[in-house]
Amino acid sequence: MMSELITKDVIARYNSRTGRENSDQPTLDQLQLEKKNKIRLSKELEDKSHKLRQMKGEDLEDLDLDELQKLEKLVKVSLGRVIQTKRNKIMSEIMALEKKGAELIEANNQQRQRMVMLSGGDIGPAAIMELENLNNIGEEGVTSESATNATTCSTNALSLEDDCSDILSLKLG
């Protein structure tokens, strides 16, 4: 028995020095270590899953008052971070929309200047009024499109009056 252990030890040392050890076959120690790690990770997964269910408001029956208060504080802090992140995203979207609005206003002004230049600076008061109507948004939420329709309808013949009132009610409504 003793000689068998010595022989295995000598063979193991020889294999380790020559690199002939069969690396495809895990040793008993490696298997035991993997089993311990698997058990530890399974327990850790179960514990984290239980804590997650508690944060969702499930499995709270076995918690005492102190643990419930700690959980409540943790949820409040988490909710605060969620609210702050949401607020930041909304603000960044608002700033992006304001920037886009400013760009559109600038493009509109450039188009107006281009129109004046193309007409040789000789545009009448009606055209100036029309340009102003296109730029302004009224107190009632009249967009430039509905202002254009209103101007167009007011200059058309009386026979089209019914059609224009429909358009105005759709645009303003």
Side-chain angles (χ1 to χ4, degrees):
M1 178 112 172
M2 183 66 130
S3 63
E4 187 177 324
L5 287 174
I6 293 173
T7 307
K8 284 185 179 182
D9 185 47
V10 169
I11 292 173
R13 281 188 285 156
Y14 173 78
N15 286 337
S16 67
R17 289 187 183 187
T18 61
R20 293 184 184 174
E21 185 175 5
N22 190 357
S23 61
D24 293 340
Q25 296 285 335
T27 65
L28 184 60
D29 290 338
Q30 290 172 334
L31 290 174
Q32 287 176 344
L33 182 62
E34 285 183 26
K35 185 177 180 180
K36 286 179 184 178
N37 281 338
K38 181 181 175 187
I39 291 170
R40 181 184 57 82
L41 290 173
S42 295
K43 182 168 175 34
E44 189 176 327
L45 177 64
E46 183 181 328
D47 184 48
K48 296 294 182 185
S49 297
H50 184 70
K51 286 184 180 183
L52 179 61
R53 284 193 305 274
Q54 286 178 339
M55 289 191 72
K56 289 178 165 181
E58 303 169 3
D59 294 340
L60 301 175
E61 295 81 25
D62 29 327
L63 296 178
D64 62 13
L65 187 58
D66 288 338
E67 291 171 328
L68 285 171
Q69 287 175 333
K70 287 178 186 176
L71 183 61
E72 180 183 17
K73 184 178 180 181
L74 179 65
V75 169
K76 282 182 182 179
V77 169
S78 298
L79 181 60
R81 285 193 300 257
V82 168
I83 290 171
Q84 185 61 40
T85 303
K86 178 182 167 187
R87 184 176 295 133
N88 291 342
K89 287 192 183 235
I90 289 172
M91 291 305 294
S92 66
E93 286 183 23
I94 287 172
M95 290 184 343
L97 289 172
E98 286 176 345
K99 180 180 177 186
K100 186 175 181 179
E103 290 170 356
L104 289 173
I105 289 171
E106 179 61 29
N108 191 17
N109 288 336
Q110 289 174 358
Q111 288 294 333
R112 184 185 315 132
Q113 289 175 356
R114 186 170 170 234
M115 186 175 168
V116 169
M117 288 174 50
L118 288 175
S119 68
D122 189 25
I123 58 174
I128 293 173
M129 291 283 289
E130 183 67 26
L131 287 173
E132 290 302 320
N133 284 338
L134 289 174
N135 279 337
N136 295 330
I137 295 178
E139 293 177 9
E140 313 229 350
V142 178
T143 63
S144 60
E145 184 181 352
S146 60
T148 303
N149 287 337
T151 305
T152 306
C153 287
S154 65
T155 59
N156 286 340
L158 292 176
S159 64
L160 299 176
E161 186 174 335
D162 292 335
D163 293 338
C164 290
S165 64
D166 290 343
I167 292 172
L168 282 175
S169 64
L170 288 174
K171 296 297 179 180
L172 295 176

